[in-house]
Amino acid sequence: MTDLVQETVDTIHVEFIEEVRAGLEKGIPVRRKITGWGRVHIDRQLPFLCVYRRPSERPDAGTKRLLLGEAAYILAPGEPDSLAGLRQLIRVVVDTQVSNFGASLLVELWSAPDRTKADTEEFQPYRPTIRIIVSQHDAPVILLERLESYLLRIKISDQSPQVSVEYREQIA
């Protein structure tokens, strides 16, 4: 079995999305670069996908590194003109996962802007914050409660994170 590794594509277009679909359906690892910054990396058929869209309005030095160790992720530019193709690509990946596993977990990571002393009168060390944003329709409540419970147990720079679950009509 060979990887679906080909030349870098300039944009997420219909042919590219169909190549990804075909690779996933055949169980072939998909590893493709998107010009400038993006990447699709799916080692094998898995019931989850991690997504990170680089903010177009500010620098973000490290968030994409969180995904590089994952077995299924998409890194994408955050510019509005790339959103339609990205949505179609994500839909194809998730639909393929749902047909194989009966469900799929889509995790999109966002980072908050960097804080500086100028942001507050007296600079306080930043308390790690994790916000879980989920659709208010058909939310897996038991799963979310367990996830929140586990996240509260971790330590980041010797601090427990502040964790919240937010139910929204529109997620992203």
Side-chain angles (χ1 to χ4, degrees):
M1 185 180 325
T2 61
D3 291 3
L4 179 62
V5 179
Q6 298 175 0
E7 296 177 19
T8 301
V9 295
D10 291 326
T11 60
I12 301 172
H13 51 77
V14 174
E15 293 82 14
F16 172 70
I17 293 169
E18 286 308 312
E19 288 174 13
V20 171
R21 177 194 315 268
L24 293 173
E25 288 175 350
K26 292 176 185 174
I28 298 171
V30 176
R31 296 184 185 101
R32 296 285 304 271
K33 290 184 180 178
I34 303 165
T35 297
W37 198 82
R39 179 180 300 164
V40 177
H41 179 103
I42 304 172
D43 283 340
R44 59 194 174 281
Q45 291 185 10
L46 295 162
F48 71 90
L49 177 66
C50 299
V51 176
Y52 174 65
R53 291 180 287 158
R54 181 191 69 222
S56 57
E57 70 283 353
R58 64 179 169 81
D60 183 7
T63 305
K64 81 172 189 176
R65 291 187 310 218
L66 292 172
L67 273 76
L68 296 179
E70 294 301 324
Y73 66 84
I74 296 175
L75 302 175
E79 287 77 18
D81 60 338
S82 65
L83 188 56
L86 180 60
R87 280 185 180 148
Q88 291 174 338
L89 175 62
I90 291 170
R91 171 61 56 204
V92 162
V93 173
V94 170
D95 285 349
T96 303
Q97 292 170 333
V98 168
S99 70
N100 288 325
F101 300 101
S104 177
L105 174 65
L106 176 62
V107 176
E108 183 170 10
L109 297 180
W110 293 301
S111 65
D114 289 337
R115 291 180 37 180
T116 65
K117 191 170 187 174
D119 293 336
T120 59
E121 288 183 26
E122 183 180 321
F123 185 72
Q124 299 290 322
Y126 182 70
R127 182 173 178 199
T129 302
I130 299 170
R131 290 179 25 220
I132 303 167
I133 301 171
V134 64
S135 172
Q136 63 190 36
H137 304 288
D138 301 320
V141 177
I142 294 171
L143 172 70
L144 292 167
E145 288 173 353
R146 286 186 181 162
L147 178 60
E148 181 180 17
S149 172
Y150 286 118
L151 289 171
L152 286 167
R153 295 181 201 169
I154 64 172
K155 296 286 185 192
I156 302 171
S157 300
D158 293 324
Q159 293 185 50
S160 294
Q162 180 177 349
V163 179
S164 65
V165 178
E166 299 174 22
Y167 296 90
R168 294 187 182 173
E169 181 71 33
Q170 181 74 21
I171 298 175

